[in-house]
Structures are given as C-alpha cells and as structure tokens.
Amino acid sequence: MEKGSQSSSTTLARTKSDQLVETLAAAFKSPRQSDQQTPPGTSESGGTLSRKSSKRVMMGASPRRSSGDNNNTYIRKSRSAQMKLDLEELSSGAALSRASSASLGLSFSFTGFTVPPDEIADSKPFSDDDIPEDVEARTCKMKFQTEPTLPIYLKARDGELCKDQRTWLTLSGSVFSFGQMRTCKVTSTKERRFTDVTYKVIIKGMTSCEERDILNGITGAVNPGEVLALMGPSGSGKTTLLNLLGGRLIQSTVGGSITYNDQPYSKFLKSRIGFVTQDDVLFPHLTVKETLMYAARLRLPKVLTRQQKEKRAVDVIYELGLERCQDTMIGGSFVRGVSGGERKRVCIGNEIIINPSLLFLDEPTSGLDSTTALRTIQTLQDIAEVGKTVITTIHQPSSRLFHKFDKLILLGKGSLLYFGKASEAIVYFSSIGCSPLIAMNPAEFLLDLANGNLTDISVPSELEDKVQMENSETETGNGKPPPAVVHEYLVEAYESRVADTEKKKLMAPLPLDEELKSKVSSSKRQWGASWWQQYCILFCRGIKERKHDYFSWLRITQVLSTAIILGLLWWQSDSKTIRGRQDQAGLLFFIAVFWGFFPVFTAIFTFPQERAMLGKERAADMYRLSAYFLARTTSDLPLDLILPVLFLLVVYFMAGLRLSASHFFLSMLTVFLCIVAAQGLGLAIGATLMDLKRATTLASVTVMTFMLAGGYFVKKVPVFISWIRYMSFNYHTYKLLLKVQYQDIMPTVNGIKTDSGLKEVGALVAMIFGYRFLAYLSLRKMQLHCEA
C-alpha cells in the first residue's frame, strides 16, 4: 500500500509537471510571442540588470501590476521560470512548486512544504520591468554590457586622487567630479584656493570690440550610474559648459585651469570621451549598419581583429534597438531614411561603440516627439547604469523626462542657480521662497526661474519690499520683481546657502596613482587603425556614399544630352578642309571648357558640405587628416571618369574625329588630365573659403578668366596679362586636343604648333598636385583651429 501510494503520488506529480510544461508551451505560442523575442545573438541572462531591477529581484515579485498587462506578465514570467527549470527536476514536487511560484509570483504550499519568498526571488531572474522594450521597434533588446573603462580624474592643481573609478574635473573655482569613489587614504591636507572659471567671447563690431561673459563659475559632481542634466534658457551657457567639459573649446579663452588626473587636456583623452553633437551629422546614403561598421573599424583599438570590431558594431545595434532598421539608409533632406529617434540612437551608437569613460550629449531630444524623447533618455539611463558617466544638455523636457535625471545643473545667464539632485530642486527653491502656486511641470518652473519670470510663482519675502518700494516710486507695476533682480537674488541665494558646502565636499585631497597620471598626460594619440587601413576604409566609404549622387539620372541625362547635341551639331565634320578644321577646333575647345567647368563646380561643394562631419570625426581622432584627404580625392576619380568616357564615346564618333585607337585614347587621356586638374582647383577654392556663396563666386570668375584666356577667343594676348593663359587648364587642354588630332596632318592649327605636347602635359600634372596641396594646407589650417 505504501509503495502504491508513493507510486500514485509520483505519477500525480509527473502528470502535473507535464501539464505545467504544456501550459508554458501554449503560452509561448501566443500571438504576442513575436513581440517579446530576444534579438538573435543576445542572451537574456547575459544582460546587466539595472539598479532598480536588482532591488526588485532581492525583494521578490512586485505586487504592482496593471490589469492590462496580465497576459504579457504571465508570458514573461513563464519564460523566466522556464529558464530556471531542469527537465530532471520536473518529476519532483519541489521543482513543480518552485516553477509554479515563480510563474505566478506567489508563495503557496504544495506537496507538503512552502517555498520561502527568497527562493521565489532567486528563481525569478528578472521581472516584468527588467525587459527593455523598444517603443518604436516594439522588440525586446538586451541591456548594455558592462565593460571596464579607463578611470579619468579631472581635478584642479595640487589635488591627489586614488586609482579607482572616480573622475574629477575642476574648473578653478568650479569643481566637477565624475565617477564612483572608493575609500581613499588622504595623504595631503594642503589648503587650496580656487578662482571662478570664466569663459568670454569677443564680439567685434564696426568700430569697437565687446567682451561678453558666457560662464561665471560652475560647481557640480556626478557619479557613474547617474545622468547629469544641464538646464537653462537659450543663451545661458549650457553648450559652452558641455564643450568645456568635453575638451572641445580652445583652452586659451578659458579663465582658470582644467586638469585631467592633475594634468592638462591631452590628445590621448579623445579616445576616452564620447561627444554627441546637437545636429545629427551622418552620411545620408549609408545604412545604419554600414555607419556603425565604419565607426567600429576606425575607432576601436588595433588589437581587435576586423571580425571582432564588426561584432561590436552588431552588438551596439541590438543594444540600441536598431535591428529593424539596420539595413535602411540614414537619409537626409532629399533622401528618405530612418526616423528622428533612430537617427539620434545611431549618433549615440557612434560614440558608445568605443566604450567611453565619459559621454557628453548636446540636446539629444531636440526635434523629437515626447515618446521618442523618452525612449532616448531611457537609452541614456541604460548606458549610465553599466558604469558610464553621462552629461547632457536639455532645453525644456517634459515632466516624465525630468524625473529620469539623477542630477541637475540649472544655469541662468552663465551663472549657477542650482546644483544637486533633480528630485530635490523644487524643495530647494521652495526653501528660498520660490514655490509654484499651481501644478506645473518642474522643468517649466525651473526655466521660469532662470528667466526671472515669477508668474504663478511665489515672490520671496526678501524681494517683496523691493517690489513695493519700486511700485511706490513709479506708481506702476504688476507686483512682480524685474527679471534682473530675480536673477541676482537666485545667484546670491545659491552662493550663500549651498555653494560653499558643495565645494568643501568636492575639494578633499585624494592620493593619485602615478601610472594613471602618466597615461592621461601622454600626448600620443591612440589610432584605431594604421594609416593604410584608414585610407582603405575611407576610400570604400567615400565610394559607397557618393555613388548615388554621381550616377543619378539627372547627371547622366545632363552629360548624355549635351553629348548628343554636340554630335548632331558637328555631325561627321570634315577635317580635310580649312573650314572643317575650324569647326572641329571649336568643338575641341568646347570639350575642354565643358570638362573644365563641370568638375570645378562639383568639387567646390566637397569640403564645405563635409566640414561638420570632418570636424566631428577629427575631434574624436577617428583618422589622420592626410588619410582622409587622399581617400577623399582618390575615391572621386573612378566616379568622375565614368561619365567622360560615355561622353566621348558619343561625341567622338558622331562628330567624325580621327578614327584611330591611339588618337581616341590620347583624347580621352587629355580630358582625364583636364578633369583632375579642374577638380583640384575646385577643392582648393572650397577648402580655402569654406563658404559656398563666396566659393561659387570666386570659381565663376576664375573659370571665366581661364576660358577667355584659353587661346580660342583671343589669339594675341597683351604681355602684361599673358601669364594668365599659362595657369589655365583650358588652354593646355585645348592645345593638347589639337595636337592629338592634327599632329601628323599639318604643322600648325590656328597658330598652335602641333608638337609632342609634353609641356602641356607637364603643366596639367603640376596643376593636379599643386591645387591639391593648396587644398590640404587649407584643411590643415582649419583643423589647427578645431583641435586647439
């Protein structure tokens, strides 16, 4: 009987276990399964739990669940339970009880015992809120992987720090610390004095120069795992402060000192700082995957193989929830591509792909709707939770966005109005007499204060007397103090109540590891690829990006239609008569002018249009300027030389020029030399002026002068101006084309000797290299300004 009862009990347990397995299998086959899939190549258990999620796991299942999410909760928790089950344990009642408890989030008795709540929490690897869901893509993605980063200490002079994961920044009297501090033995208690950091710009007028203060001393701190928001009205200095912290401003214009690990800013730090600009600077014709692939190959260390770099790019795509649009073009003004939120996440991915110690973002939510903006800020929270330090400027966030920030700096006219926890900002301003009189968005309340607007805000008692006195004198007024008075009051209140306390907290001396100090002070850059690899990568990227423009139907139609019209006008012209030779000379001169004019105005746009991209990538030390310049100029050659071949194939045979292979290929080579020389002139003008209007005007005058001095319109040019024709590529191209066609027929054509043409070839080659060298020097000069 005992054996029978045990057998029946075992059978019952197994039967119920089988039923539970069938229930879980049915749940996985639900229509919402596809919405909850984990992207391929990721591991649900390999993600890093957030701080909030970790707390929930330790406390067990949270009882707060909305009724509308019951089905999704059951499916997710069933998956969680299934991950912890073993097929061999399903036969035992303990395993069945544990699986049931984990799937239902309850603790109850089954087969004679009770599962403790701690075991329920342990059997539940993540809760409903632990699976991040992409708002746009509606797919689950893994959390950001925790990777070790180089600790960077940004601190003032005379400071001694320990080697941990704390990052300090001191702007003389303004102290910023970034990082997580461990217990450090203080070896120095030397007193330090700081002067407030200042940043000024000089505004030049017609008759005078004016200095304007942008920043007037800032203090703050943020730890890894936190997001610091820089808020303030337009013109308050948010972007200037962000650029100062990221090392993007010229140091000579900054008052005070900025040090990193007690050392000044060095080029080594460029590879440790991620900086996302406000504008989404991306190539429109590259896909999301191609953009991140090229960034990984250029920026990740040399020790990684190409496969490892590309795998890291794929991981970032899934971390940011971009797998749905990874094969979609980025898009731009005239190219349809990804959405605004996806573009912003691609920009963020370009920076986090190098695992930066600090991540700076300038207005990451500009132009986004509220849902996409919330998703972007949630992405920043995920990045911070794995140990990164995130600093971002924000203009006017919604209330939901505001509560996502850990710390807040409020600026007004370059002065610090508040620094501390974002959740305590309202409490602080209420303590100084500025409380909201109606329910409002905290961000709107703070921006009103920064602007000096006390509408629907209580007036501090210190200002009420001033308002009454001013109203009694002027007999006008609305009972509110002027903005300048409010601003002065807020600055004085912060300096008297909070500033000294915050500085004392942040100025404690800490011991510094010399090895870490020497790393940051190194002036040697860390390139992610060799010079040749940089050239090859940029060459391939350039061809992929610009092939859409070069082979557009508009450009092909323009070239072919011009060729057909020329062929019809000079249809089977006769080169044996003087009249026929004069007509052919006109055709050859037009060919020289057309393929001198066309490349100039195409190349003018090259560097002005890519200036933002060049400045962004060079500031991050993605490649050497020489590698970029050579790749940029040579990648255009294959594309620039295809359409001239089609042009000559049509014109040459329709016009009846000399039907010989040698003469045809020599004519084509002459046109190629003209195109490359004209392209060099356009590159030089564009790189020198970096302004499309001025560059176009200068190019028009230059090309017109070269055309008039090209030897067709004016045969005898005055001596004092005859030097212009020797600088004209039209002149040398025209002479070469005449010599190719009539070298064996007659000694002179239109006063031009039909000799070998080596002088003209040498002149065009000199122009090809000379103009490009001038363009490179102009870019180098521009980069010196950007890198200072």
Side-chain angles (χ1 to χ4, degrees):
M1 292 296 292
E2 292 179 356
K3 291 182 180 180
S5 61
Q6 291 178 358
S7 176
S8 61
S9 177
T10 304
T11 305
L12 177 61
R14 289 180 177 176
T15 303
K16 298 210 171 202
S17 300
D18 295 337
Q19 291 176 357
L20 177 60
V21 172
E22 293 175 0
T23 303
L24 295 177
F28 277 115
K29 294 180 180 180
S30 64
R32 294 185 59 85
Q33 177 187 1
S34 58
D35 292 341
Q36 307 296 333
Q37 289 179 351
T38 302
T42 65
S43 173
E44 290 180 342
S45 61
T48 303
L49 294 179
S50 65
R51 294 166 295 164
K52 300 176 182 178
S53 302
S54 301
K55 293 179 181 178
R56 285 195 297 267
V57 169
M58 295 302 296
M59 294 173 61
S62 174
R64 292 180 297 175
R65 293 288 183 270
S66 60
S67 58
D69 294 333
N70 288 339
N71 292 334
N72 294 339
T73 303
Y74 181 80
I75 294 173
R76 293 179 180 178
K77 292 182 176 179
S78 298
R79 290 184 180 182
S80 174
Q82 188 189 37
M83 292 174 60
K84 303 297 290 184
L85 290 178
D86 188 271
L87 293 177
E88 296 180 358
E89 294 180 354
L90 280 175
S91 59
S92 66
L96 179 60
S97 178
R98 187 177 295 109
S100 304
S101 302
S103 63
L104 299 178
L106 301 172
S107 174
F108 59 93
S109 177
F110 187 75
T111 65
F113 66 93
T114 303
V115 181
D118 293 338
E119 289 191 26
I120 298 176
D122 292 338
S123 64
K124 174 179 170 292
F126 50 83
S127 66
D128 179 38
D129 295 336
D130 291 330
I131 302 179
E133 186 173 346
D134 191 340
V135 174
E136 294 180 6
R138 300 297 299 172
T139 56
C140 299
K141 63 182 184 65
M142 67 180 179
K143 283 279 189 177
F144 291 89
Q145 297 178 357
T146 304
E147 300 177 6
T149 57
L150 175 70
I152 300 177
Y153 306 75
L154 294 87
K155 198 177 185 298
R157 293 188 296 264
D158 302 330
E160 298 179 353
L161 309 179
C162 69
K163 184 178 181 182
D164 52 19
Q165 291 185 355
R166 187 180 180 95
T167 309
W168 284 82
L169 165 65
T170 301
L171 308 179
S172 293
S174 306
V175 184
F176 276 82
S177 66
F178 304 99
Q180 183 178 3
M181 184 173 68
R182 294 201 306 260
T183 303
C184 303
K185 182 179 180 181
V186 179
T187 59
S188 174
T189 57
K190 184 185 298 183
E191 181 181 359
R192 294 184 207 94
R193 307 179 70 181
F194 300 91
T195 57
D196 290 337
V197 65
T198 59
Y199 182 77
K200 298 180 179 180
V201 294
I202 300 177
I203 302 176
K204 295 182 179 180
M206 296 294 294
T207 58
S208 62
C209 295
E210 177 186 357
E211 285 190 355
R212 179 176 297 177
D213 294 333
I214 304 299
L215 292 176
N216 298 313
I218 313 297
T219 302
V222 60
N223 300 327
E226 295 178 340
V227 179
L228 170 66
L230 308 180
M231 278 186 58
S234 299
S236 61
K238 302 186 301 294
T239 301
T240 302
L241 178 58
L242 191 76
N243 289 331
L244 276 173
L245 302 182
R248 296 298 180 100
L249 285 182
I250 302 174
Q251 301 300 315
S252 60
T253 59
V254 180
S257 64
I258 303 176
T259 59
Y260 300 72
N261 285 2
D262 284 343
Q263 298 295 322
Y265 182 84
S266 64
K267 295 177 180 179
F268 171 82
L269 292 171
K270 288 186 177 182
S271 61
R272 301 297 176 182
I273 294 177
F275 200 102
V276 181
T277 58
Q278 181 175 354
D279 299 325
D280 299 332
V281 183
L282 299 167
F283 285 112
H285 293 103
L286 295 181
T287 64
V288 171
K289 188 174 183 178
E290 289 172 345
T291 300
L292 294 176
M293 285 288 186
Y294 286 126
R297 292 172 61 186
L298 286 169
R299 302 188 68 179
L300 290 177
K302 295 180 182 179
V303 295
L304 300 179
T305 64
R306 177 174 177 176
Q307 291 73 20
Q308 290 174 327
K309 292 182 178 182
E310 292 179 351
K311 182 181 183 300
R312 173 60 182 156
V314 173
D315 292 341
V316 170
I317 288 175
Y318 284 105
E319 287 171 358
L320 294 173
L322 295 171
E323 63 274 11
R324 185 189 65 171
C325 61
Q326 60 180 332
D327 296 321
T328 306
M329 284 187 181
I330 298 294
S333 302
F334 305 102
V335 182
R336 187 173 183 178
V338 298
S339 66
E342 290 167 339
R343 285 172 60 90
K344 184 61 66 177
R345 277 183 277 168
V346 173
C347 293
I348 296 174
N350 266 331
E351 302 302 322
I352 68 171
I353 203 168
I354 63 170
N355 187 31
S357 300
L358 304 174
L359 180 61
F360 298 90
L361 303 99
D362 190 8
E363 299 282 358
T365 60
S366 296
L368 304 181
D369 59 86
S370 59
T371 302
T372 307
L374 180 63
R375 183 68 191 89
T376 302
I377 298 300
Q378 182 61 53
T379 301
L380 299 184
Q381 254 194 347
D382 295 340
I383 295 172
E385 284 177 353
V386 297
K388 304 294 188 294
T389 302
V390 179
I391 304 100
T392 178
T393 62
I394 198 82
H395 182 61
Q396 190 170 359
S398 64
S399 57
R400 290 193 299 172
L401 288 185
F402 181 82
H403 291 295
K404 292 287 184 180
F405 301 128
D406 298 292
K407 290 187 177 180
L408 172 70
I409 285 180
L410 181 64
L411 298 175
K413 297 181 182 179
S415 300
L416 187 60
L417 305 182
Y418 173 78
F419 165 70
K421 294 182 179 180
S423 58
E424 298 177 359
I426 304 295
V427 177
Y428 163 74
F429 285 106
S430 298
S431 67
I432 63 173
C434 299
S435 302
L437 300 179
I438 61 174
M440 65 173 64
N441 181 356
E444 294 180 2
F445 167 73
L446 295 176
L447 288 176
D448 283 343
L449 286 177
N451 281 309
N453 179 19
L454 295 184
T455 303
D456 297 325
I457 299 175
S458 62
V459 180
S461 57
E462 290 84 347
L463 297 180
E464 288 182 352
D465 296 337
K466 293 183 180 181
V467 174
Q468 292 176 0
M469 292 178 62
E470 291 177 358
N471 291 341
S472 61
E473 292 177 359
T474 59
E475 296 183 357
T476 59
N478 55 2
K480 299 291 182 180
V485 175
V486 175
H487 174 76
E488 183 179 357
Y489 170 76
L490 294 176
V491 173
E492 292 179 354
Y494 182 81
E495 290 180 352
S496 61
R497 301 190 183 196
V498 182
D500 292 339
T501 304
E502 291 295 333
K503 289 181 180 179
K504 289 179 180 179
K505 292 180 181 178
L506 301 176
M507 291 180 184
L510 300 171
L512 176 64
D513 186 276
E514 291 298 328
E515 180 183 357
L516 188 60
K517 181 177 179 180
S518 61
K519 282 185 178 181
V520 177
S521 61
S522 174
S523 60
K524 185 178 180 181
R525 297 179 177 179
Q526 288 189 336
W527 301 106
S530 63
W531 189 95
W532 177 250
Q533 290 173 336
Q534 291 175 5
Y535 170 78
C536 295
I537 294 170
L538 294 172
F539 182 88
C540 296
R541 189 181 73 171
I543 290 181
K544 279 191 176 182
E545 166 60 25
R546 289 183 292 280
K547 66 182 180 181
H548 302 277
D549 291 333
Y550 277 92
F551 300 127
S552 63
W553 284 107
L554 183 63
R555 180 169 294 194
I556 294 175
T557 303
Q558 178 186 10
V559 172
L560 291 181
S561 60
T562 303
I564 292 173
I565 292 173
L566 291 177
L568 293 176
L569 291 175
W570 275 271
W571 177 262
Q572 299 298 318
S573 58
D574 187 10
S575 61
K576 297 179 181 179
T577 63
I578 298 177
R579 181 73 176 177
R581 287 195 293 270
Q582 290 179 347
D583 289 344
Q584 284 189 355
L587 172 62
L588 297 177
F589 181 76
F590 181 85
I591 292 174
V593 170
F594 181 77
W595 288 111
F597 178 89
F598 197 68
V600 167
F601 286 91
T602 301
I604 276 178
F605 295 88
T606 300
F607 295 122
Q609 285 183 341
E610 292 191 6
R611 181 176 184 176
M613 179 64 73
L614 179 61
K616 168 192 167 184
E617 294 182 338
R618 286 286 294 156
D621 268 358
M622 288 183 64
Y623 44 73
R624 295 175 175 87
L625 181 61
S626 57
Y628 164 79
F629 181 81
L630 191 61
R632 185 64 180 83
T633 54
T634 55
S635 63
D636 287 338
L637 295 180
L639 303 174
D640 278 332
L641 301 182
I642 293 178
L643 289 181
V645 172
L646 298 177
F647 178 89
L648 284 178
L649 285 174
V650 174
V651 173
Y652 198 91
F653 297 103
M654 290 183 67
L657 298 177
R658 295 189 66 176
L659 299 178
S660 171
S662 60
H663 292 87
F664 174 77
F665 286 109
L666 286 175
S667 299
M668 186 175 295
L669 178 61
T670 302
V671 173
F672 285 174
L673 290 175
C674 177
I675 291 173
V676 180
Q679 188 185 63
L681 176 62
L683 293 174
I685 293 175
T688 303
L689 298 180
M690 280 295 178
D691 181 84
L692 289 179
K693 289 185 178 181
R694 291 189 296 169
T696 304
T697 303
L698 178 60
S700 300
V701 175
T702 304
V703 171
M704 186 180 298
T705 304
F706 285 175
M707 180 184 67
L708 293 176
Y712 182 79
F713 296 106
V714 181
K715 301 294 188 299
K716 186 177 181 180
V717 181
V719 179
F720 61 87
I721 202 174
S722 60
W723 56 270
I724 295 180
R725 66 165 48 186
Y726 299 106
M727 297 178 60
S728 170
F729 43 79
N730 299 124
Y731 174 69
H732 298 293
T733 303
Y734 175 56
K735 289 179 65 175
L736 273 177
L737 288 175
L738 288 177
K739 292 177 181 181
V740 168
Q741 292 296 319
Y742 306 113
Q743 184 178 9
D744 300 333
I745 298 179
M746 50 194 312
T748 60
V749 178
N750 291 346
I752 298 175
K753 295 181 180 181
T754 56
D755 52 12
S756 61
L758 293 178
K759 294 181 179 179
E760 288 75 14
V761 172
L764 288 175
V765 171
M767 291 180 186
I768 290 172
F769 290 99
Y771 286 140
R772 279 169 170 75
F773 182 70
L774 177 61
Y776 178 75
L777 291 180
S778 300
L779 283 182
R780 175 63 64 184
K781 183 179 179 181
M782 186 267 291
Q783 284 303 115
L784 287 176
H785 174 73
C786 293
E787 293 176 0

